[in-house]
């Protein structure tokens, strides 16, 4: 299975209009924030390649393993997985039938699945192509959040 290069994913997400990139918390975070109106803007995707104290479910300590995370709209999430799982207790992961360590498999995010976030470890070229509508969805959701914040 031919996998997508992590840097290619970063380059693609970085090219989305209005995106601000922040390297923090052991991940590359992508915010919709045209004109840098806010400190960070509205989160829509991250790329994570290291385990952290509160997020070890994907076993990112494996050599070359990275995870693309996307915050999609509620309806898109429901179409993929049904209702989101309950919020996990601090230090725990979502409860469900998903193998959160499986490569090239779209799952709810191990921690933030309850917030309509999804994740995929080392997507293949084919899976990356199927993630494109999800990336568009996540960016559109972030744009709506950003625009609501402007009205406050």
């Amino acid at each position: 299975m031919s996998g997508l290069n992590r840097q290619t994913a970063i380059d693609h997400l970085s090219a989305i209009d209005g995106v601000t990139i922040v390297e923090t918390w052991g991940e590359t975070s992508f915010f919709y924030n045209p004109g840098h109106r806010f400190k960070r803007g509205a989160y829509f995707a991250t790329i994570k390649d290291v385990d952290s104290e509160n997020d070890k479910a994907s076993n990112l300590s494996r050599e070359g393993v990275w995870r693309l995370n996307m915050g999609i709209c509620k309806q898109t999430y429901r179409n993929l997985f049904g209702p989101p799982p309950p919020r996990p207790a601090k230090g725990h992961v979502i409860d469900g039938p998903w193998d959160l360590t499986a490569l090239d498999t779209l799952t709810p995010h191990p921690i933030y699945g309850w917030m309509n976030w999804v994740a995929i470890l080392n997507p293949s070229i084919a899976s990356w192509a199927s993630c494109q509508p999800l990336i568009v969805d996540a960016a559109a959701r972030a744009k709506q959040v950003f625009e609501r914040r402007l009205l406050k």
Side-chain angles (χ1 to χ4, degrees), residues 46 48 55 67 69-70 77 85 94 100 107-114 117-119:
T46 66
K48 186 172 177 70
D55 186 355
R67 187 178 72 209
N69 309 297
M70 299 165 281
Y77 185 96
I94 59 168
L100 303 173
T107 66
H109 186 284
I111 310 297
Y112 302 113
W114 67 277
W117 278 71
V118 297

Side-chain angles (χ1 to χ4, degrees), residues 4-104:
L4 181 80
N5 177 288
R6 178 183 178 275
Q7 188 59 52
T8 300
I10 290 172
D11 293 346
H12 176 83
L13 292 166
S14 301
I16 296 171
D17 190 41
V19 168
T20 298
I21 302 163
V22 177
E23 298 282 343
T24 186
W25 308 303
E27 62 190 26
T28 304
S29 302
F30 301 88
F31 296 86
Y32 182 78
N33 194 19
H36 301 281
R37 298 284 303 268
F38 299 104
K39 181 177 179 183
R40 295 238 161 100
Y43 240 154
F44 74 93
T46 66
I47 292 181
K48 186 172 177 70
D49 61 1
V50 296
D51 287 327
S52 60
E53 185 176 330
N54 293 321
D55 186 355
K56 297 177 185 172
S58 296
N59 192 16
L60 296 175
S61 60
R62 295 174 284 170
E63 186 174 343
V65 176
W66 57 278
R67 187 178 72 209
L68 169 64
N69 309 297
M70 299 165 281
I72 58 178
C73 76
K74 290 178 185 178
Q75 190 57 54
T76 302
Y77 185 96
R78 284 179 177 274
N79 292 345
L80 290 167
F81 300 110
R87 182 178 186 169
K90 185 175 180 169
H92 294 272
V93 299
I94 59 168
D95 187 31
W98 310 285
D99 178 355
L100 303 173
T101 65
L103 302 180
D104 196 34

